[in-house]
Amino acid sequence: MTKTILITGCSSGIGHHAAHALKKRGWQVLATCRRAEDCARLQEEGLDSFVLDLADTASIEAGLAETLERTDGRLDALFNNGAYAQPGAVEDLPTDALRAIFETNFFGWHTLTRGALKVMRQQRRGRIVQNSSVLGFVALRMRGAYNSTKFAIEGYTDTLRLELRGSGIHIALLEPGPVRTRIRENSRPHYERWIDKENTVWRDFYKTMLEPRLYAEASAARDPGELDCDATTKAVIHALESPRPRLHYPVTTPTWAMAAFKRVLPPRAVDRIAARI
């Protein structure tokens, strides 16, 4: 029987690549996006796509209902991937900016996961992959909002894993480091909306350090150790198809390195390393 998977955030990057790869492997892929125009493009690419906006509870519920209608009520896997970044120093983040990013990057995932678990509990089986980040266990400057959502996802997933023991449902954390996606470009509107860059002690830093990278062409703003999305897709496939999936899937050398630093170095030493990035 064809296995079914619901993936969020498929307009580009990790979700887009995984959706196409899993379809080629014979999965029935429900590739969702926040915007209807992106769904239309994915349909032209041959994917089964419809709208699911993680910031809208009604859209999440409708998206899950649409999924189950198209799969005859089955859901073998969920890949929680849709998220965005919010550049800016913590002290410059309005509380509403944090509320907004948590709505998409955390609360929306929770709503969708609860709905998926009801189906998986009835089936007594299922796989859930959570796209976290190296920033889920190591904080970097100017990424406080995104760091916070990914740290929250790590704790949430670790707790849920304990509660799912013996259920036949496996949950894994994907932890990418620098991967070639549109996350930087997609974060620009959020920076422009929420950060008052002219009235802050960080004004010069924004102009000389943050903005040149934020607005640089993708080819000129690559990070050390950056990989293509096929690296994350390989990890997702293992998490979904292996008889013994792992709990954590670090991807990229920087992720492995930071995990090692966290294990062996004192916190102040890790801070000195992170402050240089």
Side-chain angles (χ1 to χ4, degrees):
M1 186 180 293
T2 301
K3 289 190 174 181
T4 64
I5 182 168
L6 171 60
I7 308 177
T8 62
C10 293
S11 63
S12 64
I14 291 171
H16 182 266
H17 192 280
H20 278 286
L22 288 167
K23 182 182 178 184
K24 289 178 182 177
R25 295 179 69 84
W27 285 74
Q28 181 182 358
V29 177
L30 293 309
T32 67
C33 308
R34 180 175 59 86
R35 299 186 301 182
E37 54 266 36
D38 289 324
C39 294
R41 173 171 51 84
L42 265 58
Q43 291 166 9
E44 292 176 357
E45 295 172 8
L47 290 172
D48 194 357
S49 182
F50 49 88
V51 171
L52 192 159
D53 184 350
L54 289 165
D56 183 339
T57 299
S59 178
I60 295 169
E61 293 173 349
L64 182 57
E66 182 70 19
T67 296
L68 297 176
E69 182 176 338
R70 298 189 188 200
T71 63
D72 295 325
R74 293 187 303 110
L75 185 60
D76 296 296
L78 169 65
F79 181 20
N80 275 318
N81 168 71
Y84 69 88
Q86 169 65 68
V90 169
E91 62 192 290
D92 291 336
L93 289 170
T95 302
D96 282 345
L98 283 176
R99 289 194 180 101
I101 194 171
F102 265 88
E103 197 66 51
T104 293
N105 292 16
F106 185 80
F107 297 128
W109 290 29
H110 174 59
T111 301
L112 182 56
T113 299
R114 289 187 68 215
L117 283 174
K118 291 179 182 179
V119 180
M120 293 179 180
R121 286 281 193 185
Q122 292 175 350
Q123 298 170 168
R124 299 186 179 181
R125 58 181 170 78
R127 301 280 176 103
I128 300 174
V129 181
Q130 307 272 73
N131 192 6
S132 179
S133 170
V134 60
L135 299 179
F137 58 87
V138 175
L140 295 181
R141 294 185 301 174
M142 299 294 133
R143 300 165 177 87
Y146 189 76
N147 292 341
S148 298
T149 64
K150 293 305 182 182
F151 268 73
I153 285 295
E154 294 265 331
Y156 175 93
T157 302
D158 286 347
T159 305
L160 189 54
R161 186 179 66 248
L162 297 175
E163 295 169 354
L164 290 173
R165 286 175 63 89
S167 68
I169 304 167
H170 186 277
I171 186 165
L173 279 161
L174 180 68
E175 297 169 322
V179 173
R180 196 165 301 122
T181 70
R182 291 185 56 81
I183 191 168
R184 185 179 291 113
E185 295 95 316
N186 292 341
S187 72
R188 293 168 186 166
H190 304 289
Y191 173 71
E192 292 163 0
R193 176 184 180 187
W194 292 112
I195 302 301
D196 182 1
K197 60 186 180 181
E198 297 299 330
N199 297 292
T200 169
V201 297
W202 291 99
R203 180 177 181 274
D204 291 341
F205 184 92
Y206 289 153
K207 291 186 178 299
T208 61
M209 300 292 291
L210 189 150
E211 291 180 8
R213 284 189 55 76
L214 182 62
Y215 292 100
E217 293 294 328
S219 59
R222 293 183 60 177
D223 294 311
E226 185 174 281
L227 298 178
D228 290 320
C229 291
D230 59 344
T232 48
T233 295
K234 287 177 183 177
V236 171
I237 289 170
H238 190 277
L240 294 173
E241 298 183 357
S242 172
R244 290 185 60 83
R246 297 194 286 271
L247 307 182
H248 293 251
Y249 287 86
V251 180
T252 74
T253 298
T255 304
W256 283 101
M258 294 307 294
F261 293 153
K262 287 277 285 188
R263 285 195 299 269
V264 302
L265 297 178
R268 291 184 187 278
V270 176
D271 279 357
R272 285 195 293 271
I273 295 169
R276 300 192 188 105
I277 300 174

